[in-house]
Amino acid sequence: MDTIASLFSFITTPVSWVIVQFHSVYGAVFGPDTGWAWGLSIVSLVILIRICLIPLFVKQIKATRAMQTLQPEMKKIQERYKNDRQRQSEEMMKLYKETGTNPLSSCLPILAQSPFFFALYHVLNSIASNDTVGVINERLLESAQKAHIFGAPLAAKFTDSSEKVEALNSSLTDVRVVTAIMIILMSLSQFYTQRQLMTKNVDTTVKTPFMQQQKMLMYVFPIIFAVFGINFPVGVLVYWLTTNVWTMGQQMYVIHNNPTPGSKAQAAYLERLHKQVTRHGGTRNRRQRVIIKAIVAKGRDRNEYERKFINGLSKAGLAAQTDGAVIKGESTAAAQAEDGATTGATPKRQQPKRQSKSQRQSTPAKAAGEPTSLTKSDEPQGTTPASAAKKGEAKPAGSTRSKAQSGQRKGPQRPKSPSKK
């Protein structure tokens, strides 16, 4: 580890300068020789580095999603050229070039952070060896050796001997308890970050070797951190635990607001988005419009959760536009216009009145143009058969039959439907 750290000695001076600047600020509050001043200086160094690496983190997300999308094509190439490794590699590189994907992009944040990590390790190792390094002079070196984090010196390790720990004004028990707790927290944070990625932010519709690889790393990385962590100084453990917590929080934010299409996180996000859009009758910010615009542009290529979201908007009387806006559907607007915009509810459907048996039997006759008979109650008052004859009106032929239909059993019965005669 010391040999590797020495390779990054060129960045030791900038890292030590940043730590000293933060120490001058926190030392004025907590005291220059306290563990809080030096510990918070290391935490602030991590935050500063991770803020500078946010653009690389965005590229890592895009590269990871692009690799997930290419997994089916990569699997086809592997099966097609499984006996020709050279041709397989050429086709893989051709696929990466056509899609603009770089497999190493997913490792950019770790690769970019490694020089700072080893430079900090070199600084803390020099403090433990009582050597000045970078801009840390003898006065700052003495102050750093006096700094303790929960009783453990800043430069102490889990594997240090009791004599070396006593030279730093501490006990071996305090050092091992503090370092063991920090190693466990570091491993657990790494495991939870990877597990969160696998269970919530992975496209469950695509089963590829890439997913199996990520699942294996979920268990391998914590073990690697635990094995190498016993050789890290307390200050380096503070650095690595802080960067793990930062990564976990950053990933939680991405999963909550910009999940991978087809993942469980996208289903939860679209459900929240549907509630917000239906409550307010449209989108409220640019990010929502960008998400909806991407879903509309997919057309028939939408996944299950995206189709459910679009159908839910339609049921709520809303329609998603190509620019990402959400407006009221035409049917809902027309119904509200007919209602006079007084109420937002559509009128209830009226059920037709139930007809009697005689009315249902007389319906075919009416449809055929046959005149229906008038009962005594239906005949206009003051009308006589003579007056009807003067007007040339003939007595309806179906008058006797209508009496039979009203419940009398006498005489021959008329067929129910004239068309069946």
Side-chain angles (χ1 to χ4, degrees):
M1 184 66 71
D2 296 337
T3 304
I4 298 176
S6 62
L7 297 176
F8 297 93
S9 59
F10 65 93
I11 203 173
T12 300
T13 300
V15 169
S16 62
W17 183 84
V18 173
I19 293 177
V20 169
Q21 299 307 312
F22 282 120
H23 175 262
S24 62
V25 175
Y26 295 119
V29 179
F30 301 102
D33 299 337
T34 60
W36 286 103
W38 286 98
L40 290 176
S41 299
I42 297 174
V43 172
S44 300
L45 172 67
V46 175
I47 295 175
L48 178 63
I49 293 173
R50 294 308 299 265
I51 290 175
C52 296
L53 294 179
I54 286 178
L56 293 180
F57 181 75
V58 174
K59 289 185 178 181
Q60 180 191 23
I61 294 174
K62 293 181 178 179
T64 303
R65 293 184 180 179
M67 289 296 294
Q68 291 177 355
T69 305
L70 292 178
Q71 287 304 307
E73 297 296 330
M74 295 171 61
K75 190 174 182 180
K76 292 180 181 179
I77 293 175
Q78 291 175 353
E79 293 177 353
R80 186 180 302 173
Y81 304 104
K82 58 183 179 181
N83 297 326
D84 191 349
R85 295 291 182 180
Q86 183 177 357
R87 182 65 184 277
Q88 185 180 121
S89 301
E90 292 176 356
E91 293 295 327
M92 288 288 188
M93 296 303 297
K94 183 179 179 181
L95 180 63
Y96 295 149
K97 187 176 181 180
E98 291 177 351
T99 57
T101 305
N102 186 1
L104 297 178
S105 298
S106 58
C107 303
L108 284 178
I110 297 177
L111 295 176
Q113 193 178 350
S114 298
F116 301 96
F117 171 79
F118 288 112
L120 178 63
Y121 179 89
H122 183 61
V123 169
L124 295 175
N125 194 47
S126 299
I127 292 174
S129 302
N130 200 20
D131 295 331
T132 59
V133 58
V135 299
I136 298 179
N137 52 30
E138 294 180 357
R139 180 180 60 84
L140 292 173
L141 178 63
E142 184 180 357
S143 175
Q145 288 179 343
K146 294 179 180 179
H148 290 68
I149 297 178
F150 301 109
L154 197 69
K157 305 175 187 177
F158 184 88
T159 56
D160 284 345
S161 61
S162 59
E163 294 80 7
K164 189 174 183 179
V165 173
E166 290 175 357
L168 297 173
N169 300 321
S170 181
S171 65
L172 186 62
T173 303
D174 293 340
V175 171
R176 291 191 173 179
V177 169
V178 172
T179 53
I181 292 175
M182 296 184 72
I183 290 171
I184 292 173
L185 292 176
M186 186 175 62
S187 300
L188 288 178
S189 60
Q190 179 66 34
F191 175 79
Y192 180 78
T193 301
Q194 191 69 18
R195 185 177 184 276
Q196 187 183 39
L197 178 66
M198 290 299 301
T199 57
K200 294 183 178 181
N201 206 37
V202 173
D203 188 357
T204 56
T205 61
V206 181
K207 305 294 183 182
T208 60
F210 178 77
M211 294 179 61
Q212 299 296 330
Q213 180 183 1
Q214 293 295 318
K215 188 176 180 179
M216 181 183 64
L217 293 177
M218 179 174 65
Y219 296 98
V220 172
F221 272 153
I223 297 175
I224 293 175
F225 277 107
V227 171
F228 285 96
I230 60 177
N231 295 313
F232 291 163
V234 174
V236 174
L237 293 178
V238 172
Y239 175 94
W240 206 250
L241 178 60
T242 305
T243 193
N244 279 1
V245 173
W246 176 280
T247 303
M248 182 172 61
Q250 196 174 43
Q251 183 171 276
M252 289 175 65
Y253 176 82
V254 172
I255 290 175
H256 187 269
N257 296 282
N258 190 19
T260 301
S263 62
K264 294 181 180 179
Q266 189 195 30
Y269 174 79
L270 291 180
E271 185 176 354
R272 295 193 305 269
L273 181 60
H274 178 266
K275 292 180 180 179
Q276 295 174 2
V277 171
T278 52
R279 184 186 304 116
H280 300 289
T283 55
R284 295 181 59 83
N285 52 56
R286 182 176 177 273
R287 182 172 55 82
Q288 292 180 352
R289 289 192 293 271
V290 170
I291 296 294
I292 296 176
K293 180 180 179 181
I295 293 175
V296 173
K298 288 185 178 181
R300 296 183 178 180
D301 296 332
R302 302 186 190 109
N303 57 48
E304 178 185 358
Y305 307 126
E306 293 167 345
R307 288 194 297 269
K308 185 178 179 181
F309 172 74
I310 296 297
N311 294 334
L313 292 180
S314 301
K315 291 180 181 179
L318 301 173
Q321 305 299 305
T322 55
D323 60 349
V326 176
I327 62 173
K328 293 182 179 180
E330 297 179 358
S331 58
T332 304
Q336 290 183 353
E338 292 177 359
D339 198 26
T342 56
T343 58
T346 56
K348 295 183 178 180
R349 182 179 177 182
Q350 296 181 354
Q351 296 292 338
K353 294 182 179 180
R354 184 177 179 85
Q355 296 179 346
S356 63
K357 183 176 181 181
S358 59
Q359 289 176 337
R360 291 197 301 270
Q361 292 175 347
S362 62
T363 300
K366 291 180 180 179
E370 297 180 2
T372 57
S373 61
L374 295 175
T375 61
K376 289 183 178 182
S377 60
D378 295 334
E379 292 180 358
Q381 296 180 358
T383 304
T384 60
S387 60
K390 288 180 180 179
K391 293 180 180 180
E393 295 179 357
K395 187 177 181 180
S399 59
T400 57
R401 296 177 181 176
S402 62
K403 293 180 181 180
Q405 293 172 0
S406 62
Q408 296 180 3
R409 294 290 181 177
K410 296 180 180 181
Q413 298 295 323
R414 178 185 174 183
K416 293 183 178 181
S417 176
S419 59
K420 294 182 180 180
K421 286 185 178 181

